[in-house]
Amino acid sequence: MELNNMGVGIIGTGSFVPDKILTNFDLEKIVDTSDEWIRTRTGIRERRILEEDKATSYMATEAAKRAIENAGINAEDIDLIMVATVTPDMAFPSTACIVQDNLDCKNAAAFDLEAGCSGFLYGLSLAYSQVKAGLSNNVLLIGAETLSRIINWKDRSTCVLFGDGAGAAVISRVPNEKGILAIDLGADGSGKEYLTQPAGGSKMPATKESIDNELHYINMEGNEVFKFAVRTMKKASVKVIQKSGLDIEDIDFLIPHQANIRIIEAARKRLKLDEDRVYVNLDKYGNMSAASIPVALDEANRKNKIKDGDNIVLVGFGAGLTWGSCVIKWHK
């Protein structure tokens, strides 16, 4: 069938989270906080922590295996691997190349991309373009983060928020009128200081001073990020729905970035969706950055929360500042 007569969508999903659970009660023993304070302000109850002898590529590989199996294809069918992450195994080689070797995807090109918590949606846009243009048949997109390695466990404002995990999707051709209907991406670099990891790059290479001053950890201006997120989640959701040619009333399911329950609630109410039409798992995992949306998507898929033909919205925001949203007519 001609490419122009085919849609582009997700044909398989997979996810992986570590076994180790760090609860709010565990955090009470580490910093001056409480289970009640964390739950009421964020909705988070626990998060997962990767074992010390493993890295981001391990989780990315495990999630990818499950996505490939769910898609019903083989490793050699993958043409391109993208890993969205802010916590790669190392600066180079890319985590995607490590995953390619782990999976023995002999025919795949591979690279990492970095857009903070918006990384999976930025990658989805690239994957769509690759398949739509006929440059790739099957793209493996992974969002994977080991945020526990860049958290300051003495900073109660950030250490309660984040966790480790990985989610993956295989993007390929799907029947016409199914798949990705619209994608919208954005960025506002004027907010670049609101969410940063100050040291470790070319601007501030690692030194004894940078380590002593704890500059290799996540630094966040929480109030500014929260205001941006509430405003952006609602705006980005509505904009992409308009681009898709649908109305708000046509949306069946919302899978948002899992950062804060109050932010998710604001987006849900704007889209006029009942609570059972929104997937929330941040109570179990916290904010997994680029992994949040694909992990939630995989869980929703495997639990049959999303049905064939459902119009679903994916929406997220992240460091940069960046944001992204997508409408997919689900192909089961």
Side-chain angles (χ1 to χ4, degrees):
M1 187 176 289
E2 293 290 333
L3 285 179
N4 290 337
N5 294 327
M6 296 292 288
V8 177
I10 293 171
I11 65 168
T13 62
S15 61
F16 176 87
V17 294
D19 292 331
K20 181 180 178 181
I21 297 173
L22 184 70
T23 69
N24 292 346
F25 297 107
D26 294 326
L27 286 171
E28 289 179 351
K29 303 170 185 176
I30 300 173
V31 291
D32 182 17
T33 191
S34 70
D35 171 65
E36 181 183 10
W37 189 93
I38 300 168
R39 280 190 295 104
T40 56
R41 286 163 177 78
T42 69
I44 300 167
R45 295 177 181 271
E46 58 190 40
R47 66 287 295 149
R48 301 299 179 97
I49 306 295
L50 185 63
E51 300 94 320
E52 291 183 2
D53 63 339
K54 293 182 173 64
T56 297
S57 62
Y58 171 77
M59 296 187 295
T61 300
E62 293 303 310
K65 287 178 182 176
R66 297 171 188 185
I68 291 170
E69 180 182 9
N70 187 241
I73 61 175
N74 299 312
E76 57 265 30
D77 297 323
I78 300 295
D79 303 299
L80 175 64
I81 300 172
M82 291 185 283
V83 176
T85 185
V86 298
T87 53
D89 285 20
M90 58 194 82
F92 56 88
S94 70
T95 299
C97 279
I98 298 171
V99 171
Q100 186 231 33
D101 183 52
N102 290 344
L103 296 173
D104 198 25
C105 291
K106 299 176 180 179
N107 300 314
F111 68 93
D112 291 352
L113 66 96
E114 196 270 280
C117 302
S118 308
F120 184 81
L121 288 164
Y122 269 62
L124 195 59
S125 176
L126 293 173
Y128 171 87
S129 299
Q130 281 284 125
V131 176
K132 192 67 175 177
L135 300 175
S136 298
N137 291 318
N138 299 296
V139 176
L140 175 60
L141 173 61
I142 308 164
E145 302 285 12
T146 314
L147 296 168
S148 61
R149 306 286 165 82
I150 60 170
I151 288 172
N152 184 347
W153 293 102
K154 294 183 289 184
D155 180 6
R156 67 175 182 174
S157 67
T158 57
C159 73
V160 303
L161 302 176
F162 299 100
D164 303 337
V170 176
I171 295 88
S172 187
R173 300 186 188 103
V174 297
N176 192 27
E177 299 182 357
K178 292 283 188 71
I180 296 169
L181 303 183
I183 297 177
D184 186 68
L185 304 177
D188 180 6
S190 67
K192 59 186 179 296
E193 301 298 331
Y194 295 154
L195 188 53
T196 65
Q197 184 187 11
S202 62
K203 182 178 181 179
M204 191 182 300
T207 62
K208 183 180 184 302
E209 183 180 10
S210 70
I211 295 170
D212 290 343
N213 290 327
E214 300 179 334
L215 297 176
H216 295 263
Y217 297 125
I218 293 172
N219 185 284
M220 183 172 71
E221 295 187 27
N223 289 336
E224 294 296 333
V225 173
F226 182 84
K227 289 186 291 185
F228 161 77
V230 170
R231 182 174 65 250
T232 300
M233 286 273 274
K234 293 188 288 185
K235 183 178 178 181
S237 298
V238 172
K239 184 176 180 181
V240 80
I241 292 169
Q242 292 173 342
K243 286 180 68 173
S244 74
L246 300 177
D247 296 321
I248 288 177
E249 293 74 18
D250 297 321
I251 301 305
D252 299 296
F253 209 80
L254 171 67
I255 300 179
H257 173 49
Q258 308 286 313
N260 185 297
I261 193 64
R262 292 181 292 171
I263 298 170
I264 293 173
E265 276 295 290
R268 179 186 71 81
K269 291 175 181 177
R270 181 65 181 86
L271 296 181
K272 303 175 183 178
L273 291 172
D274 294 334
E275 290 184 6
D276 63 352
R277 304 303 290 173
V278 180
Y279 198 83
V280 177
N281 63 5
L282 87 162
D283 56 316
K284 298 186 297 181
Y285 305 132
N287 183 346
M288 295 183 289
S289 188
S292 284
I293 289 176
V295 170
L297 177 63
D298 179 54
E299 290 188 349
N301 180 31
R302 291 174 187 269
K303 292 178 180 179
N304 291 315
K305 295 285 187 178
I306 43 180
K307 312 294 185 184
D308 185 65
D310 275 358
N311 295 314
I312 68 173
V313 171
L314 312 180
V315 60
F317 59 91
L321 296 165
T322 60
W323 63 88
S325 53
C326 176
V327 176
I328 303 175
K329 182 174 285 293
W330 195 248
H331 172 61
K332 193 73 169 178

